[in-house]
Amino acid sequence: MAPVAGVLLLAITVVLAGGVVTAALDRPAEPAPSASLSLSAVDDRIAIDHRGGDALDADELTVRVRVDGEPLARQPSVPFFSTAGFRPGPTGPFNAASDDRWRVGETASFRVAGTNDPTLAPGRTVTVSISVDDRPVATLETVVEPG
């Protein structure tokens, strides 16, 4: 009878320990920063204005661009200065030489190179999704205007 009781106590201990570890690891995820952003696109230039809310760390941003629902072949890795698929010299916090904090009142922009696909052209719809550490912050949409 003693070996059965020992096995039973060991099983209870393992189950309880597993519950404690699960509870400790199952902490709620930190919420995404809250920011009000607006998007414009003129010719090959995409600009995003930070209109309100939390400052965003450019080093933690992921920016994904779609044109008429199709993702660009090459996506911007922000911050950058020169990268395939984009014209050199993005502005604001998307530029590697700038302050990494994207604050209210600042505009971040970049120009899509003609070698990227699909190309920007007047009348096409551009959608930009921004996330911080895989936590969605904003999905913005606009129509490309002629310059």
Side-chain angles (χ1 to χ4, degrees):
M1 183 94 157
V4 173
V7 170
L8 184 59
L9 284 175
L10 179 62
I12 291 172
T13 302
V14 168
V15 169
L16 289 175
V20 169
V21 169
T22 300
L25 294 177
D26 196 24
R27 288 178 265 154
E30 184 179 327
S34 175
S36 175
L37 307 173
S38 65
L39 174 69
S40 64
V42 178
D43 286 333
D44 65 353
R45 183 176 185 263
I46 293 174
I48 306 163
D49 295 318
H50 191 315
R51 297 185 174 269
D54 298 327
L56 303 173
D57 188 340
D59 288 330
E60 297 174 356
L61 291 179
T62 301
V63 177
R64 294 292 169 252
V65 181
R66 299 176 80 81
V67 179
D68 289 339
E70 185 179 339
L72 287 178
R74 292 190 170 98
Q75 296 289 336
S77 58
V78 294
F80 71 94
F81 182 77
S82 183
T83 190
F86 298 88
R87 295 182 185 266
T91 66
F94 288 178
N95 189 304
S98 73
D99 178 10
D100 289 344
R101 302 297 288 171
W102 189 10
R103 295 175 181 85
V104 174
E106 293 181 327
T107 299
S109 72
F110 55 87
R111 294 176 61 201
V112 179
T115 57
N116 210 336
D117 188 51
T119 58
L120 295 183
R124 298 187 96 178
T125 301
V126 174
T127 305
V128 176
S129 299
I130 298 174
S131 59
V132 172
D133 291 333
D134 296 324
R135 295 171 291 154
V137 173
T139 299
L140 311 164
E141 189 172 276
T142 193
V143 174
V144 179
E145 298 177 17

